[in-house]
mmCIF file of all heavy atoms in Angstrom:
data_model
loop_
_atom_site.group_PDB
_atom_site.id
_atom_site.type_symbol
_atom_site.label_atom_id
_atom_site.label_comp_id
_atom_site.label_asym_id
_atom_site.label_seq_id
_atom_site.Cartn_x
_atom_site.Cartn_y
_atom_site.Cartn_z
ATOM 1 N N PHE Q 270 -24.802 182.180 44.643
ATOM 2 C CA PHE Q 270 -23.748 183.182 44.547
ATOM 3 C C PHE Q 270 -22.886 182.860 43.332
ATOM 4 O O PHE Q 270 -23.098 181.780 42.573
ATOM 5 C CB PHE Q 270 -22.754 183.006 45.676
ATOM 6 C CG PHE Q 270 -22.093 181.644 45.883
ATOM 7 C CD1 PHE Q 270 -21.006 181.321 45.149
ATOM 8 C CD2 PHE Q 270 -22.647 180.698 46.675
ATOM 9 C CE1 PHE Q 270 -20.341 180.127 45.278
ATOM 10 C CE2 PHE Q 270 -22.034 179.403 46.811
ATOM 11 C CZ PHE Q 270 -20.923 179.131 46.190
ATOM 12 N N LYS Q 271 -22.028 183.832 42.894
ATOM 13 C CA LYS Q 271 -21.059 183.684 41.875
ATOM 14 C C LYS Q 271 -19.686 183.966 42.570
ATOM 15 O O LYS Q 271 -19.525 184.962 43.350
ATOM 16 C CB LYS Q 271 -21.227 184.701 40.713
ATOM 17 C CG LYS Q 271 -22.463 184.367 39.974
ATOM 18 C CD LYS Q 271 -22.543 185.336 38.801
ATOM 19 C CE LYS Q 271 -23.757 185.006 37.930
ATOM 20 N NZ LYS Q 271 -24.027 185.903 36.889
ATOM 21 N N ARG Q 272 -18.774 183.043 42.430
ATOM 22 C CA ARG Q 272 -17.488 183.107 43.141
ATOM 23 C C ARG Q 272 -16.230 183.130 42.068
ATOM 24 O O ARG Q 272 -16.268 182.250 41.203
ATOM 25 C CB ARG Q 272 -17.276 182.026 44.079
ATOM 26 C CG ARG Q 272 -15.848 182.013 44.809
ATOM 27 C CD ARG Q 272 -15.745 180.938 45.846
ATOM 28 N NE ARG Q 272 -16.776 181.322 46.923
ATOM 29 C CZ ARG Q 272 -17.455 180.437 47.628
ATOM 30 N NH1 ARG Q 272 -17.372 179.135 47.386
ATOM 31 N NH2 ARG Q 272 -18.227 180.895 48.623
ATOM 32 N N ARG Q 273 -15.386 184.100 42.179
ATOM 33 C CA ARG Q 273 -14.209 184.047 41.388
ATOM 34 C C ARG Q 273 -12.967 183.825 42.223
ATOM 35 O O ARG Q 273 -12.794 184.495 43.240
ATOM 36 C CB ARG Q 273 -13.955 185.339 40.558
ATOM 37 C CG ARG Q 273 -12.796 185.190 39.552
ATOM 38 C CD ARG Q 273 -12.736 186.375 38.525
ATOM 39 N NE ARG Q 273 -13.705 186.124 37.456
ATOM 40 C CZ ARG Q 273 -13.278 186.285 36.133
ATOM 41 N NH1 ARG Q 273 -12.179 186.559 35.831
ATOM 42 N NH2 ARG Q 273 -14.179 186.056 35.212
ATOM 43 N N GLU Q 274 -12.137 182.818 41.797
ATOM 44 C CA GLU Q 274 -10.910 182.421 42.507
ATOM 45 C C GLU Q 274 -9.783 182.852 41.608
ATOM 46 O O GLU Q 274 -9.674 182.472 40.473
ATOM 47 C CB GLU Q 274 -10.891 181.015 42.784
ATOM 48 C CG GLU Q 274 -12.002 180.472 43.675
ATOM 49 C CD GLU Q 274 -12.164 178.924 43.625
ATOM 50 O OE1 GLU Q 274 -11.330 178.322 42.994
ATOM 51 O OE2 GLU Q 274 -13.042 178.462 44.366
ATOM 52 N N TYR Q 275 -8.876 183.687 42.166
ATOM 53 C CA TYR Q 275 -7.694 184.165 41.421
ATOM 54 C C TYR Q 275 -6.455 183.378 41.742
ATOM 55 O O TYR Q 275 -6.367 182.738 42.799
ATOM 56 C CB TYR Q 275 -7.416 185.720 41.826
ATOM 57 C CG TYR Q 275 -8.587 186.526 41.437
ATOM 58 C CD1 TYR Q 275 -9.698 186.757 42.257
ATOM 59 C CD2 TYR Q 275 -8.616 187.160 40.131
ATOM 60 C CE1 TYR Q 275 -10.783 187.551 41.839
ATOM 61 C CE2 TYR Q 275 -9.603 188.027 39.810
ATOM 62 C CZ TYR Q 275 -10.713 188.179 40.659
ATOM 63 O OH TYR Q 275 -11.794 189.050 40.264
ATOM 64 N N PRO Q 276 -5.527 183.292 40.779
ATOM 65 C CA PRO Q 276 -4.245 182.448 40.988
ATOM 66 C C PRO Q 276 -3.472 182.757 42.308
ATOM 67 O O PRO Q 276 -2.889 181.940 42.754
ATOM 68 C CB PRO Q 276 -3.519 182.720 39.741
ATOM 69 C CG PRO Q 276 -4.431 183.183 38.667
ATOM 70 C CD PRO Q 276 -5.425 183.892 39.503
ATOM 71 N N ASP Q 277 -3.613 184.032 42.683
ATOM 72 C CA ASP Q 277 -2.801 184.430 43.892
ATOM 73 C C ASP Q 277 -3.590 183.997 45.236
ATOM 74 O O ASP Q 277 -3.196 184.222 46.384
ATOM 75 C CB ASP Q 277 -2.514 185.981 43.982
ATOM 76 C CG ASP Q 277 -3.849 186.840 44.174
ATOM 77 O OD1 ASP Q 277 -4.974 186.230 44.297
ATOM 78 O OD2 ASP Q 277 -3.753 188.059 44.199
ATOM 79 N N GLY Q 278 -4.798 183.338 45.078
ATOM 80 C CA GLY Q 278 -5.573 182.897 46.239
ATOM 81 C C GLY Q 278 -6.679 183.837 46.667
ATOM 82 O O GLY Q 278 -7.437 183.382 47.567
ATOM 83 N N THR Q 279 -6.817 184.991 46.128
ATOM 84 C CA THR Q 279 -7.854 185.892 46.324
ATOM 85 C C THR Q 279 -9.158 185.288 45.897
ATOM 86 O O THR Q 279 -9.251 184.593 44.864
ATOM 87 C CB THR Q 279 -7.726 187.160 45.728
ATOM 88 O OG1 THR Q 279 -6.475 187.848 46.193
ATOM 89 C CG2 THR Q 279 -8.808 188.123 46.065
ATOM 90 N N VAL Q 280 -10.248 185.363 46.736
ATOM 91 C CA VAL Q 280 -11.537 184.778 46.373
ATOM 92 C C VAL Q 280 -12.581 185.894 46.555
ATOM 93 O O VAL Q 280 -12.721 186.476 47.601
ATOM 94 C CB VAL Q 280 -11.949 183.641 47.277
ATOM 95 C CG1 VAL Q 280 -13.326 183.110 46.924
ATOM 96 C CG2 VAL Q 280 -10.926 182.424 47.127
ATOM 97 N N LYS Q 281 -13.288 186.210 45.430
ATOM 98 C CA LYS Q 281 -14.281 187.194 45.520
ATOM 99 C C LYS Q 281 -15.663 186.525 45.292
ATOM 100 O O LYS Q 281 -15.884 185.797 44.257
ATOM 101 C CB LYS Q 281 -14.057 188.309 44.426
ATOM 102 C CG LYS Q 281 -15.136 189.455 44.480
ATOM 103 C CD LYS Q 281 -14.810 190.506 43.560
ATOM 104 C CE LYS Q 281 -15.817 191.599 43.731
ATOM 105 N NZ LYS Q 281 -15.502 192.914 42.964
ATOM 106 N N THR Q 282 -16.690 186.655 46.130
ATOM 107 C CA THR Q 282 -17.991 186.194 46.015
ATOM 108 C C THR Q 282 -19.040 187.211 46.005
ATOM 109 O O THR Q 282 -18.981 188.143 46.847
ATOM 110 C CB THR Q 282 -18.293 185.242 47.273
ATOM 111 O OG1 THR Q 282 -17.126 184.305 47.425
ATOM 112 C CG2 THR Q 282 -19.534 184.485 47.098
ATOM 113 N N VAL Q 283 -19.914 187.092 45.046
ATOM 114 C CA VAL Q 283 -21.094 188.020 44.955
ATOM 115 C C VAL Q 283 -22.299 187.158 45.219
ATOM 116 O O VAL Q 283 -22.558 186.262 44.422
ATOM 117 C CB VAL Q 283 -21.101 188.647 43.524
ATOM 118 C CG1 VAL Q 283 -22.374 189.649 43.472
ATOM 119 C CG2 VAL Q 283 -19.823 189.461 43.237
ATOM 120 N N TYR Q 284 -23.087 187.507 46.187
ATOM 121 C CA TYR Q 284 -24.296 186.794 46.519
ATOM 122 C C TYR Q 284 -25.496 187.276 45.808
ATOM 123 O O TYR Q 284 -25.430 188.391 45.323
ATOM 124 C CB TYR Q 284 -24.548 186.855 48.118
ATOM 125 C CG TYR Q 284 -23.381 186.147 48.853
ATOM 126 C CD1 TYR Q 284 -22.226 186.886 49.250
ATOM 127 C CD2 TYR Q 284 -23.451 184.795 48.998
ATOM 128 C CE1 TYR Q 284 -21.289 186.221 49.988
ATOM 129 C CE2 TYR Q 284 -22.388 184.179 49.764
ATOM 130 C CZ TYR Q 284 -21.372 184.820 50.241
ATOM 131 O OH TYR Q 284 -20.243 184.243 50.894
ATOM 132 N N MET Q 285 -26.526 186.480 45.726
ATOM 133 C CA MET Q 285 -27.674 186.942 44.977
ATOM 134 C C MET Q 285 -28.353 188.252 45.469
ATOM 135 O O MET Q 285 -28.990 188.916 44.687
ATOM 136 C CB MET Q 285 -28.808 185.783 44.890
ATOM 137 C CG MET Q 285 -28.334 184.678 43.949
ATOM 138 S SD MET Q 285 -27.872 185.058 42.296
ATOM 139 C CE MET Q 285 -26.245 184.619 42.162
ATOM 140 N N ASN Q 286 -28.123 188.542 46.744
ATOM 141 C CA ASN Q 286 -28.760 189.733 47.264
ATOM 142 C C ASN Q 286 -27.935 190.976 46.945
ATOM 143 O O ASN Q 286 -28.147 192.096 47.314
ATOM 144 C CB ASN Q 286 -28.982 189.627 48.758
ATOM 145 C CG ASN Q 286 -27.649 189.495 49.461
ATOM 146 O OD1 ASN Q 286 -26.570 189.624 48.976
ATOM 147 N ND2 ASN Q 286 -27.729 189.269 50.860
ATOM 148 N N GLY Q 287 -26.737 190.730 46.231
ATOM 149 C CA GLY Q 287 -25.854 191.850 45.848
ATOM 150 C C GLY Q 287 -24.683 192.041 46.761
ATOM 151 O O GLY Q 287 -23.746 192.815 46.336
ATOM 152 N N GLN Q 288 -24.675 191.414 47.903
ATOM 153 C CA GLN Q 288 -23.635 191.589 48.799
ATOM 154 C C GLN Q 288 -22.322 190.947 48.141
ATOM 155 O O GLN Q 288 -22.355 189.915 47.628
ATOM 156 C CB GLN Q 288 -23.878 190.934 50.153
ATOM 157 C CG GLN Q 288 -22.818 191.161 51.146
ATOM 158 C CD GLN Q 288 -23.232 190.642 52.566
ATOM 159 O OE1 GLN Q 288 -24.382 190.925 52.984
ATOM 160 N NE2 GLN Q 288 -22.420 189.842 53.178
ATOM 161 N N GLN Q 289 -21.094 191.604 48.416
ATOM 162 C CA GLN Q 289 -19.954 191.190 47.915
ATOM 163 C C GLN Q 289 -18.927 190.857 49.060
ATOM 164 O O GLN Q 289 -18.833 191.702 49.970
ATOM 165 C CB GLN Q 289 -19.275 192.180 46.963
ATOM 166 C CG GLN Q 289 -20.039 192.508 45.757
ATOM 167 C CD GLN Q 289 -19.362 193.666 44.943
ATOM 168 O OE1 GLN Q 289 -18.231 193.795 45.015
ATOM 169 N NE2 GLN Q 289 -20.174 194.399 44.200
ATOM 170 N N GLU Q 290 -18.223 189.743 48.954
ATOM 171 C CA GLU Q 290 -17.248 189.403 49.934
ATOM 172 C C GLU Q 290 -15.971 189.142 49.206
ATOM 173 O O GLU Q 290 -15.958 188.238 48.299
ATOM 174 C CB GLU Q 290 -17.726 188.145 50.745
ATOM 175 C CG GLU Q 290 -16.720 187.636 51.678
ATOM 176 C CD GLU Q 290 -17.324 186.324 52.347
ATOM 177 O OE1 GLU Q 290 -18.021 186.524 53.286
ATOM 178 O OE2 GLU Q 290 -16.921 185.324 51.810
ATOM 179 N N THR Q 291 -14.850 189.806 49.675
ATOM 180 C CA THR Q 291 -13.556 189.438 49.039
ATOM 181 C C THR Q 291 -12.578 188.978 50.083
ATOM 182 O O THR Q 291 -12.370 189.752 51.215
ATOM 183 C CB THR Q 291 -12.881 190.732 48.367
ATOM 184 O OG1 THR Q 291 -13.819 191.147 47.497
ATOM 185 C CG2 THR Q 291 -11.655 190.371 47.673
ATOM 186 N N LYS Q 292 -12.001 187.748 50.050
ATOM 187 C CA LYS Q 292 -11.045 187.277 50.887
ATOM 188 C C LYS Q 292 -9.658 187.220 50.284
ATOM 189 O O LYS Q 292 -9.544 186.628 49.285
ATOM 190 C CB LYS Q 292 -11.480 185.776 51.364
ATOM 191 C CG LYS Q 292 -12.757 185.652 52.183
ATOM 192 C CD LYS Q 292 -13.059 184.267 52.522
ATOM 193 C CE LYS Q 292 -14.386 184.237 53.328
ATOM 194 N NZ LYS Q 292 -14.692 182.845 53.643
ATOM 195 N N TYR Q 293 -8.705 187.802 50.888
ATOM 196 C CA TYR Q 293 -7.360 187.940 50.338
ATOM 197 C C TYR Q 293 -6.480 186.854 50.962
ATOM 198 O O TYR Q 293 -6.693 186.390 52.160
ATOM 199 C CB TYR Q 293 -6.787 189.315 50.615
ATOM 200 C CG TYR Q 293 -7.629 190.447 49.891
ATOM 201 C CD1 TYR Q 293 -8.713 191.088 50.683
ATOM 202 C CD2 TYR Q 293 -7.333 190.762 48.667
ATOM 203 C CE1 TYR Q 293 -9.486 192.086 50.003
ATOM 204 C CE2 TYR Q 293 -8.127 191.786 48.042
ATOM 205 C CZ TYR Q 293 -9.239 192.379 48.711
ATOM 206 O OH TYR Q 293 -9.840 193.419 48.200
ATOM 207 N N VAL Q 294 -5.301 186.626 50.371
ATOM 208 C CA VAL Q 294 -4.469 185.585 50.858
ATOM 209 C C VAL Q 294 -3.897 186.017 52.222
ATOM 210 O O VAL Q 294 -3.600 185.258 53.061
ATOM 211 C CB VAL Q 294 -3.307 185.402 49.834
ATOM 212 C CG1 VAL Q 294 -2.256 184.327 50.434
ATOM 213 C CG2 VAL Q 294 -3.802 184.987 48.561
ATOM 214 N N SER Q 295 -3.739 187.283 52.382
ATOM 215 C CA SER Q 295 -3.167 187.843 53.603
ATOM 216 C C SER Q 295 -4.089 187.501 54.851
ATOM 217 O O SER Q 295 -3.715 187.769 56.056
ATOM 218 C CB SER Q 295 -3.015 189.368 53.509
ATOM 219 O OG SER Q 295 -4.290 189.969 53.431
ATOM 220 N N GLY Q 296 -5.385 187.165 54.548
ATOM 221 C CA GLY Q 296 -6.342 187.012 55.752
ATOM 222 C C GLY Q 296 -7.333 188.047 55.798
ATOM 223 O O GLY Q 296 -8.409 187.972 56.459
ATOM 224 N N ARG Q 297 -7.033 189.175 55.054
ATOM 225 C CA ARG Q 297 -7.992 190.256 55.094
ATOM 226 C C ARG Q 297 -9.286 189.934 54.376
ATOM 227 O O ARG Q 297 -9.356 189.176 53.435
ATOM 228 C CB ARG Q 297 -7.400 191.457 54.240
ATOM 229 C CG ARG Q 297 -8.323 192.641 54.067
ATOM 230 C CD ARG Q 297 -7.649 193.696 53.151
ATOM 231 N NE ARG Q 297 -8.566 194.852 52.927
ATOM 232 C CZ ARG Q 297 -8.309 195.778 51.994
ATOM 233 N NH1 ARG Q 297 -7.159 195.718 51.291
ATOM 234 N NH2 ARG Q 297 -9.003 196.716 51.863
ATOM 235 N N VAL Q 298 -10.489 190.404 54.991
ATOM 236 C CA VAL Q 298 -11.777 190.153 54.414
ATOM 237 C C VAL Q 298 -12.474 191.514 54.361
ATOM 238 O O VAL Q 298 -12.453 192.319 55.253
ATOM 239 C CB VAL Q 298 -12.641 189.196 55.361
ATOM 240 C CG1 VAL Q 298 -14.073 189.033 54.829
ATOM 241 C CG2 VAL Q 298 -11.928 187.838 55.564
ATOM 242 N N ARG Q 299 -13.018 191.745 53.092
ATOM 243 C CA ARG Q 299 -13.770 192.980 52.870
ATOM 244 C C ARG Q 299 -15.193 192.574 52.404
ATOM 245 O O ARG Q 299 -15.383 191.840 51.423
ATOM 246 C CB ARG Q 299 -13.098 193.835 51.855
ATOM 247 C CG ARG Q 299 -13.773 195.136 51.692
ATOM 248 C CD ARG Q 299 -13.119 196.074 50.759
ATOM 249 N NE ARG Q 299 -13.015 195.534 49.461
ATOM 250 C CZ ARG Q 299 -12.103 195.910 48.554
ATOM 251 N NH1 ARG Q 299 -11.188 196.826 48.800
ATOM 252 N NH2 ARG Q 299 -12.047 195.272 47.317
ATOM 253 N N ILE Q 300 -16.217 193.131 53.025
ATOM 254 C CA ILE Q 300 -17.566 192.931 52.550
ATOM 255 C C ILE Q 300 -18.200 194.278 52.215
ATOM 256 O O ILE Q 300 -18.158 195.298 52.967
ATOM 257 C CB ILE Q 300 -18.349 192.183 53.750
ATOM 258 C CG1 ILE Q 300 -17.714 190.925 54.091
ATOM 259 C CG2 ILE Q 300 -19.796 191.960 53.391
ATOM 260 C CD1 ILE Q 300 -18.302 190.196 55.302
ATOM 261 N N LYS Q 301 -18.888 194.257 51.084
ATOM 262 C CA LYS Q 301 -19.684 195.390 50.626
ATOM 263 C C LYS Q 301 -21.199 195.107 50.497
ATOM 264 O O LYS Q 301 -21.491 193.878 50.158
ATOM 265 C CB LYS Q 301 -19.104 195.825 49.254
ATOM 266 C CG LYS Q 301 -17.669 196.379 49.271
ATOM 267 C CD LYS Q 301 -17.317 196.764 47.804
ATOM 268 C CE LYS Q 301 -15.867 197.144 47.686
ATOM 269 N NZ LYS Q 301 -15.566 197.678 46.312
ATOM 270 N N ASP Q 302 -21.957 196.051 50.731
ATOM 271 C CA ASP Q 302 -23.371 195.735 50.553
ATOM 272 C C ASP Q 302 -23.806 195.848 49.035
ATOM 273 O O ASP Q 302 -22.870 196.081 48.126
ATOM 274 C CB ASP Q 302 -24.303 196.748 51.330
ATOM 275 C CG ASP Q 302 -24.159 198.203 50.892
ATOM 276 O OD1 ASP Q 302 -23.688 198.438 49.768
ATOM 277 O OD2 ASP Q 302 -24.636 199.080 51.680
ATOM 278 N N LYS Q 303 -25.017 195.654 48.691
ATOM 279 C CA LYS Q 303 -25.418 195.634 47.252
ATOM 280 C C LYS Q 303 -25.151 196.865 46.465
ATOM 281 O O LYS Q 303 -24.965 196.903 45.313
ATOM 282 C CB LYS Q 303 -26.941 195.320 47.097
ATOM 283 C CG LYS Q 303 -27.912 196.229 47.751
ATOM 284 C CD LYS Q 303 -29.254 195.821 47.514
ATOM 285 C CE LYS Q 303 -30.291 196.699 48.161
ATOM 286 N NZ LYS Q 303 -30.178 198.081 47.841
ATOM 287 N N ASP Q 304 -24.989 198.020 47.211
ATOM 288 C CA ASP Q 304 -24.738 199.274 46.605
ATOM 289 C C ASP Q 304 -23.240 199.672 46.555
ATOM 290 O O ASP Q 304 -22.798 200.694 45.977
ATOM 291 C CB ASP Q 304 -25.417 200.465 47.332
ATOM 292 C CG ASP Q 304 -26.914 200.237 47.386
ATOM 293 O OD1 ASP Q 304 -27.506 199.874 46.273
ATOM 294 O OD2 ASP Q 304 -27.577 200.327 48.382
ATOM 295 N N GLY Q 305 -22.405 198.707 46.956
ATOM 296 C CA GLY Q 305 -20.981 198.911 46.936
ATOM 297 C C GLY Q 305 -20.378 199.602 48.121
ATOM 298 O O GLY Q 305 -19.214 199.837 48.218
ATOM 299 N N ASN Q 306 -21.178 199.854 49.131
ATOM 300 C CA ASN Q 306 -20.674 200.437 50.389
ATOM 301 C C ASN Q 306 -19.980 199.380 51.323
ATOM 302 O O ASN Q 306 -20.489 198.273 51.518
ATOM 303 C CB ASN Q 306 -21.866 201.039 51.272
ATOM 304 C CG ASN Q 306 -22.539 202.118 50.394
ATOM 305 O OD1 ASN Q 306 -21.954 202.970 49.906
ATOM 306 N ND2 ASN Q 306 -23.834 202.009 50.398
ATOM 307 N N ILE Q 307 -18.698 199.695 51.800
ATOM 308 C CA ILE Q 307 -18.039 198.771 52.667
ATOM 309 C C ILE Q 307 -18.783 198.636 53.919
ATOM 310 O O ILE Q 307 -18.955 199.636 54.641
ATOM 311 C CB ILE Q 307 -16.596 199.218 52.820
ATOM 312 C CG1 ILE Q 307 -15.934 199.198 51.428
ATOM 313 C CG2 ILE Q 307 -15.921 198.328 53.871
ATOM 314 C CD1 ILE Q 307 -14.452 199.823 51.479
ATOM 315 N N ILE Q 308 -19.036 197.448 54.366
ATOM 316 C CA ILE Q 308 -19.735 197.211 55.639
ATOM 317 C C ILE Q 308 -18.830 196.554 56.644
ATOM 318 O O ILE Q 308 -19.043 196.547 57.874
ATOM 319 C CB ILE Q 308 -21.090 196.483 55.616
ATOM 320 C CG1 ILE Q 308 -20.932 195.151 54.782
ATOM 321 C CG2 ILE Q 308 -22.077 197.389 54.893
ATOM 322 C CD1 ILE Q 308 -22.285 194.385 54.759
ATOM 323 N N MET Q 309 -17.686 195.905 56.147
ATOM 324 C CA MET Q 309 -16.692 195.339 56.979
ATOM 325 C C MET Q 309 -15.395 195.211 56.183
ATOM 326 O O MET Q 309 -15.412 194.951 55.027
ATOM 327 C CB MET Q 309 -17.124 193.994 57.445
ATOM 328 C CG MET Q 309 -16.257 193.272 58.412
ATOM 329 S SD MET Q 309 -16.585 191.672 58.844
ATOM 330 C CE MET Q 309 -15.404 190.816 57.946
ATOM 331 N N ASP Q 310 -14.290 195.557 56.904
ATOM 332 C CA ASP Q 310 -12.974 195.372 56.267
ATOM 333 C C ASP Q 310 -11.955 195.179 57.453
ATOM 334 O O ASP Q 310 -11.810 195.951 58.288
ATOM 335 C CB ASP Q 310 -12.606 196.619 55.493
ATOM 336 C CG ASP Q 310 -11.383 196.440 54.568
ATOM 337 O OD1 ASP Q 310 -10.679 195.441 54.732
ATOM 338 O OD2 ASP Q 310 -11.196 197.248 53.674
#
């Protein structure tokens, strides 16, 4: 994977299969498939 950590605590991870996961400081988690479609929020 490739993971970017932001100063506000947000963490965005892009996996090799193209899936993206963003974890926000508030606790919110958003996952998108390789095409950018939200599969969980």
